[in-house]
Amino acid sequence: MAARAVIGFAALLVAAMTIAAAPALAQTDDPNRTQTEIDCLNRATAAADCAEDDTKDGSGERPGADSAATGAVFLPALIVDLFPNPVGDGQAPLPTPNPRRDPANDALPPPASPADAAAIPAAAPGGPIVSPSDLVAAEPPRAVIGDFVPDEVLVTVDGDAVQQIAASFGLEVRSQRQSQLLGTTLVRYGIPDGRPVGVVLAQLAADGRTTRREPNHIYSLQQAAAIVNYAFERIALDSKEASGENVRIAVIDTAIDDTNPALSGVIADQFDAMPDVPVEARDHGTSIDGLIAGVGALKGMAPGARIYHARAFEGGKSSMDVILAALDWAAEQDVRIINMSFVGPKNDLLGVACRNARALGIVLVAAAGNNGPKAPYGYPAAFDGVIAVTATDAKDGLMQQANRGAYVFLSAPGVEMVAPSGAGSDVVTGTSFAAAIVTGAIANLLHAAPDRSADWVEKALAATARDLGPEGRDNDFGYGLLNARAAEAAKE
């Protein structure tokens, strides 16, 4: 008897699945309908000539058609369709990496980045409506990509609903501040009950009091393991004439050893974005500042430049909220260039901050990454409007560990260079240091002509770079090796 019951249940299940798989046919009792009209109602057999009738409402779209949400590829498709990350009033959508764009021809449409290229299936018309409470019980299979703080989320909130949101979703307010570059209140919420970050992001997406919601991603400094600095020769910059006098540059990095002779008189101001974390490392930041504007025996690319240094890394790591605080401080110092020698995952908040900093006329320079040729795009370098720098050696060969990708913009020396460090000096390698070389070269351009815009700088660097590798821009070297002399001679 039990066996018969099992067989009977299986038969019913197969029958139900067969019915569910069959196309749903429209029913009509109207004797005046033609066969074509009936076929058009039966969507599974509708012919192409039904398309005209579909748009008779004048909208040009089929009623009930869904458009795929963009910019949320790390959340399940269902959640993306229900709760797309909104763009604030008057804001353009976030830029995606526009790697093949010629800066001299801004009319070309930007191609989508690989992260955005994957199609997101739209929810089926007439499907079940899922309420926010239904989403609480289901953990997304993979909510975010890249390392992040496991019990925190970053949320932008308009108005004074910070505490109310915390109470509504069982969160705790760990910090909040008004962000200049984001133009709103940034809140770091803690998740005290162990819910996954992806679930909390999905829950918050249903609340109109929040505008953006992101993981608190982790970012890493780009220093590979580890003579006279050969960079001057390779980038055609006369070391005797090099100067970045009075050009204001922000560097976001580790703490520095400001007693190092190479930094004497170089540092205009400092900001600690992580004051509660003890300082243990000073080497990386000291090297970056020294390569940009060092003096004495370890002369940098732009001596005389004024460095505004923000400490945002310890142990080679930082989080998104700390980096955003450093970026806000840098923007408040009225700097012309921001050097970002770190890499991490794509983060919407970082993208907005970079876009708004560029809108203020700030030149953004970032390390392309040291994670190898098969690594995913590194951010912030891969954001449109950020100059992504890869590293080459004394013979213009590409650093083996360098990231590859269509977002790579420019090459510069970054392999086995002598630079100041916390211990005095050291031999350094990495796209971090190549980025510093480019920052220093740009400071020379701005010193020579302070009215040059960020757009002019980007176009001049692209147009005058010495081509390396395959002809034209490529995924390894970008436009090629930085040529400071040619860029200086570029026409306005």
Side-chain angles (χ1 to χ4, degrees):
M1 182 66 70
R4 288 183 180 179
V6 170
I7 294 172
F9 176 79
L12 289 173
L13 180 60
V14 170
M17 293 174 64
T18 302
I19 293 172
L25 300 180
Q27 302 297 315
T28 177
D29 293 326
D30 188 349
N32 297 320
R33 290 191 183 275
T34 66
Q35 183 60 42
T36 299
E37 289 173 330
I38 294 174
D39 288 342
C40 286
L41 290 174
N42 297 333
R43 285 296 177 181
T45 59
D49 57 1
C50 298
E52 181 179 355
D53 292 335
D54 284 342
T55 59
K56 286 185 177 179
D57 61 354
S59 65
E61 297 180 355
R62 291 179 179 174
D66 293 332
S67 60
T70 60
V73 296
F74 303 137
L75 293 177
L78 179 59
I79 298 178
V80 170
D81 290 337
L82 289 174
F83 311 120
N85 213 9
V87 176
D89 293 340
Q91 293 182 347
L94 262 182
T96 55
N98 191 354
R100 293 292 179 185
R101 177 174 67 84
D102 183 350
N105 185 2
D106 288 330
L108 292 178
S113 71
D116 295 328
I120 302 175
I129 297 175
V130 181
S131 68
S133 60
D134 293 330
L135 296 174
V136 174
E139 177 183 352
R142 180 63 173 169
V144 290
I145 292 178
D147 291 338
F148 55 92
V149 181
D151 64 340
E152 290 182 355
V153 292
L154 298 179
V155 182
T156 52
V157 178
D158 289 334
D160 55 359
V162 173
Q163 294 294 342
Q164 294 92 321
I165 291 172
S168 298
F169 293 94
L171 304 173
E172 58 185 25
V173 179
R174 293 185 177 172
S175 67
Q176 69 179 88
R177 63 183 182 82
Q178 185 67 25
S179 169
Q180 176 182 345
L181 291 176
L182 298 180
T184 186
T185 300
L186 177 66
V187 186
R188 179 167 59 100
Y189 286 114
I191 309 171
D193 57 8
R195 278 171 293 166
V197 165
V199 168
V200 174
L201 292 176
Q203 293 171 336
L204 289 168
D207 193 309
R209 295 171 295 181
T210 70
T211 52
R212 297 184 187 276
R213 303 146 297 274
E214 291 288 333
N216 193 5
H217 277 125
I218 303 297
Y219 291 74
S220 303
L221 294 171
Q222 295 302 287
Q223 177 174 1
I227 322 185
V228 174
N229 193 332
Y230 62 87
F232 284 105
E233 177 188 357
R234 301 319 303 159
I235 69 170
L237 178 63
D238 189 336
S239 62
K240 296 179 181 180
E241 297 182 0
S243 175
E245 186 175 1
N246 295 325
V247 177
R248 301 162 74 95
I249 302 171
V251 174
I252 299 174
D253 216 283
T254 67
I256 59 172
D257 180 3
D258 50 12
T259 67
N260 191 303
L263 300 186
S264 178
V266 172
I267 308 301
D269 199 1
Q270 295 188 59
F271 170 71
D272 194 344
M274 46 198 320
D276 298 329
V277 179
V279 175
E280 297 181 3
R282 301 177 184 269
D283 292 345
H284 194 276
T286 302
S287 295
I288 295 297
D289 287 1
L291 287 170
I292 294 173
V295 296
L298 296 176
K299 185 177 181 179
M301 300 293 104
R306 308 294 290 158
I307 300 292
Y308 292 79
H309 190 96
R311 179 220 177 194
F313 284 82
E314 193 58 61
K317 303 290 183 181
S318 185
S319 59
M320 188 75 273
D321 63 313
V322 172
I323 292 172
L324 288 172
L327 280 169
D328 272 329
W329 176 80
E332 292 167 359
Q333 310 314 305
D334 193 29
V335 298
R336 296 297 309 277
I337 312 167
I338 298 179
N339 187 95
M340 299 178 287
S341 289
F342 53 85
V343 160
K346 184 178 182 181
N347 186 290
D348 189 27
L349 297 173
L350 181 59
V352 172
C354 287
R355 181 186 68 193
N356 291 341
R358 179 60 184 265
L360 292 174
I362 300 173
V363 181
L364 303 173
V365 181
N370 302 338
N371 300 312
K374 296 183 179 180
Y377 282 13
Y379 293 85
F383 284 121
D384 194 25
V386 178
I387 296 174
V389 183
T390 192
T392 53
D393 59 25
K395 296 182 179 180
D396 301 335
L398 188 67
M399 186 183 79
Q400 184 177 1
Q401 308 100 307
N403 284 34
R404 316 295 205 272
Y407 71 98
V408 175
F409 188 88
L410 201 65
S411 304
V415 178
E416 295 183 350
M417 294 192 302
V418 177
S421 72
S425 65
D426 201 355
V427 177
V428 297
T429 293
T431 57
S432 273
F433 309 109
I437 297 299
V438 171
T439 293
I442 293 172
N444 277 266
L445 299 178
L446 297 179
H447 166 69
D451 292 337
R452 286 168 171 163
S453 68
D455 286 342
W456 182 92
V457 168
E458 181 181 342
K459 293 175 183 178
L461 294 178
T464 61
R466 181 160 62 84
D467 197 12
L468 300 176
E471 184 177 356
R473 186 175 184 177
D474 62 76
N475 291 352
D476 291 350
F477 298 98
Y479 284 101
L481 185 66
L482 168 65
N483 188 327
R485 183 181 296 120
E488 171 62 34
K491 295 181 180 180
E492 295 289 340

